[in-house]
Amino acid sequence: MFELPKTICEITGAQTCQLGDVIQSLWSGYGVIQRVKLDLPNRSTAIVKHIDLTESRKNRRGWSGDVSHQRKVRSYEIEKTFYDSYSQKCTGLGNRNVVGGRDHEFACRVPQILAALEKPGSSGWLIVLEDLDEAGFDLRSSSPQRSDDSNLRSCLRWLANFHATFMGCKPTGLWDVGTYWHLATRQEEWQGMEDGQLKRLSSAIDERLNAAQFQTLVHGDAKLANFCFGSTNSNCNDGPDVAAVDFQYIGGGCGMKDVAYLVSSCLDGSESETQQNVLLDFYFDQLEKSLAVKQPEIDFPSLESEWRELYAFAWADFCRFLAGWSPGHWKLNKYNDQVTRNVLNQLAGDKIQRRGDGFTAE
Ligand SMILES: Nc1ncnc2c1ncn2[C@@H]1O[C@H](COP(=O)(O)OP(=O)(O)O)[C@@H](O)[C@H]1O
Ligand SMILES: [Mg+2]
C-alpha cells in the first residue's frame, strides 16, 4: 500500500515527514501540491507535487482515449524530466569569478529537486521540491491584472536568463515544441475555430515560429502565477528576486512565445501596446548580457532582429489558441487583434508573392 509520508521519507532520506497544507489541487483531480514538514539538514519543509492517475481515472469517463488526458500525463512526465535532467543548469554558472562575482545575476532560479519517483504501474509521480517560500521567495503576485511593473521586469529578466541558458539546446525528453497551446497538441480547439483567415493560416504561423534560426527552450506556461517573488533584490536590479515553477509545457521554441504570453497574463491591450517597445528593449538588453556570459559565440544582432519580428507571430499563435478554446476570452483585445491581423496580412502577402514566383502555397 502506497503511504505518502513513508514514501517521502524513503526517497528523501528524512526520518520524519508530516503532511501540511494543500497549496492547490491539480487539474481535474490529478492530485495535489502540498507542503510537507520534514527533518533534513538545512531544511524543515518541502513541496510535494503528487500526481495520482488512479484518482483521475475515477473522475473521468473514457479517460484513456482522451486527448487532454494524454496531454496532461505527458506534461507531468516532462516536468519530472525537466527537474531531473535540466534544472541544475538554471542555478547560475557555479563560478563566482564571473562578472565580478555577480554569478546569479544571470541565473533563472527554479526549485531544487530533492527526490522524484514514478509510482508503480505508471499510476503517477511524486516530485519533491525545495520549498521556495522557505528559500525566501514567499510572495505571489495575487492580482494578475494589476501587477506592478517591477514584478513584470523580474519575470522578463528570468525569461531572458532562461532563454540564454538553453539557447540552441535540443529538447530531448521534453516537448519538441513547447507551450500548452502548441497547434499540434490543440487540434480539437483548432477544429472548433470559426472558419476564416486565422484558422486557415494557423499552420503558417506555427511553421514560421518553428523555422526560426535561433531556438531555445521555452517555459511554456510563463504566466505571472507561475512565478514566486522574494522581498529582496540581491543584484540591485530592476524588480525583486524571482523563481519560476510549473514546467509541464517546457520544450523547444522561439523565446518570444514566453514573452508575449507573460505580457498577456499581466497587461491589458492598451498597456501591451504602449509598453511593447520598452518591455522588449528590457528583455533583449538582459538577453544580450546573459548570452555574453553564457554563450558569447551567438550572433546576438541576428538573433534580436529575428525574434523581434517573431514577437507578433507569437501573439498571433496564442490568439489562435484562444479563438478556438474560448472565443470572447478577456485576453483577446483590440491590440492583439491588430497584431494578429498584421501577421495574417503579411502571410497572405507572402503566399501571393510565392505564387508569383512559381510556388503554390496552398
Ligand atoms: N517549490 C515550490 N515552492 C513554493 N511554492 C510552490 C512550489 N511549487 C509550486 N508552488 C506554488 O504552488 C502553485 C501551483 O504549482 P504549479 O506547479 O504551478 O501547479 P499547477 O500545475 O497546478 O499550476 C504555484 O503557483 C506556486 O505558488
Ligand atoms: Mg501553475
Side-chain angles (χ1 to χ4, degrees):
M1 175 69 183
F2 177 79
E3 255 189 80
L4 194 52
K6 189 165 160 264
T7 310
I8 293 171
C9 284
E10 278 165 14
I11 61 178
T12 59
Q15 297 295 313
T16 61
C17 169
Q18 255 179 295
L19 300 183
D21 298 340
V22 168
I23 297 176
Q24 196 169 300
S25 302
L26 300 181
W27 183 80
S28 213
Y30 279 71
V32 289
I33 298 203
Q34 192 163 13
R35 182 161 277 116
V36 295
K37 271 192 169 178
L38 29 76
D39 55 348
L40 286 174
N42 308 322
R43 219 177 275 290
S44 59
T45 59
I47 300 293
V48 175
K49 200 161 178 175
H50 180 199
I51 297 110
D52 187 354
L53 299 180
T54 52
E55 282 303 309
S56 81
R57 262 171 233 180
K58 279 189 221 150
N59 292 343
R60 296 169 73 81
R61 282 188 291 135
W63 66 276
S64 60
D66 180 333
V67 175
S68 64
H69 171 79
Q70 298 300 344
R71 184 174 55 238
K72 212 71 192 175
V73 170
R74 178 97 184 99
S75 79
Y76 290 123
E77 208 168 48
I78 282 176
E79 181 163 45
K80 180 176 171 296
T81 303
F82 166 75
Y83 279 116
D84 273 342
S85 310
Y86 291 83
S87 64
Q88 296 74 10
K89 277 194 138 187
C90 295
T91 47
L93 297 161
N95 178 353
R96 303 212 161 272
N97 298 324
V98 174
V99 201
R102 293 178 306 156
D103 185 16
H104 54 283
E105 182 177 345
F106 303 106
C108 37
R109 185 72 156 81
V110 302
Q112 196 187 330
I113 182 163
L114 305 181
L117 170 84
E118 181 160 356
K119 290 163 64 183
S122 305
S123 62
W125 294 270
L126 206 57
I127 306 175
V128 186
L129 298 171
E130 170 190 21
D131 184 352
L132 286 172
D133 289 36
E134 196 176 35
F137 298 91
D138 57 340
L139 301 175
R140 305 291 182 272
S141 199
S142 49
S143 64
Q145 290 176 69
R146 296 217 173 275
S147 155
D148 93 49
D149 206 40
S150 65
N151 284 1
L152 173 54
R153 283 170 181 260
S154 290
C155 297
L156 283 171
R157 186 176 333 99
W158 188 95
L159 284 178
N161 289 340
F162 183 77
H163 295 152
T165 302
F166 293 107
M167 194 66 69
C169 172
K170 294 263 168 298
T172 310
L174 309 175
W175 297 99
D176 285 344
V177 181
T179 78
Y180 74 82
W181 60 92
H182 180 230
L183 183 60
T185 64
R186 292 294 186 170
Q187 287 299 299
E188 282 179 356
E189 289 77 5
W190 182 81
Q191 296 288 353
M193 285 173 80
E194 235 177 62
D195 198 18
Q197 221 186 4
L198 181 54
K199 185 171 187 179
R200 285 198 299 277
L201 292 173
S202 293
S203 301
I205 297 170
D206 181 44
E207 280 160 21
R208 185 69 177 266
L209 287 160
N210 296 342
Q213 180 195 345
F214 295 96
Q215 297 279 336
T216 183
L217 295 185
V218 293
H219 175 287
D221 191 2
K223 59 184 172 190
L224 214 51
N226 283 330
F227 288 93
C228 303
F229 299 91
S231 43
T232 50
N233 176 345
S234 49
N235 290 302
C236 304
N237 279 317
D238 249 338
D241 294 336
V242 71
V245 295
D246 204 346
F247 288 88
Q248 289 167 236
Y249 293 95
I250 181 173
C254 162
M256 292 293 95
K257 293 184 187 184
D258 278 337
V259 175
Y261 176 71
L262 171 68
V263 170
S264 84
S265 78
C266 44
L267 298 186
D268 64 21
S270 75
E271 291 168 323
S272 304
E273 182 171 9
T274 53
Q275 294 191 40
Q276 173 177 307
N277 292 339
V278 176
L279 296 176
L280 285 177
D281 289 350
F282 180 80
Y283 167 84
F284 281 113
D285 182 53
Q286 184 67 29
L287 185 65
E288 183 173 18
K289 287 182 187 149
S290 203
L291 280 170
V293 173
K294 295 180 183 200
Q295 302 204 52
E297 67 289 355
I298 298 265
D299 174 4
F300 182 74
S302 303
L303 187 164
E304 180 175 2
S305 94
E306 181 183 63
W307 280 19
R308 275 192 190 261
E309 202 182 327
L310 290 177
Y311 186 60
F313 285 77
W315 269 106
D317 186 51
F318 180 56
C319 290
R320 175 268 310 154
F321 165 70
L322 289 178
W325 175 63
S326 173
H329 193 277
W330 65 268
K331 282 190 181 182
L332 290 167
N333 55 44
K334 259 208 228 155
Y335 163 75
N336 54 41
D337 185 53
Q338 190 55 50
V339 170
T340 303
R341 270 170 212 271
N342 292 344
V343 164
L344 295 175
N345 288 340
Q346 194 181 327
L347 287 170
D350 286 353
K351 287 194 174 200
I352 292 164
Q353 171 95 36
R354 271 191 284 165
R355 275 201 211 103
D357 292 345
F359 287 99
T360 318
E362 284 171 313

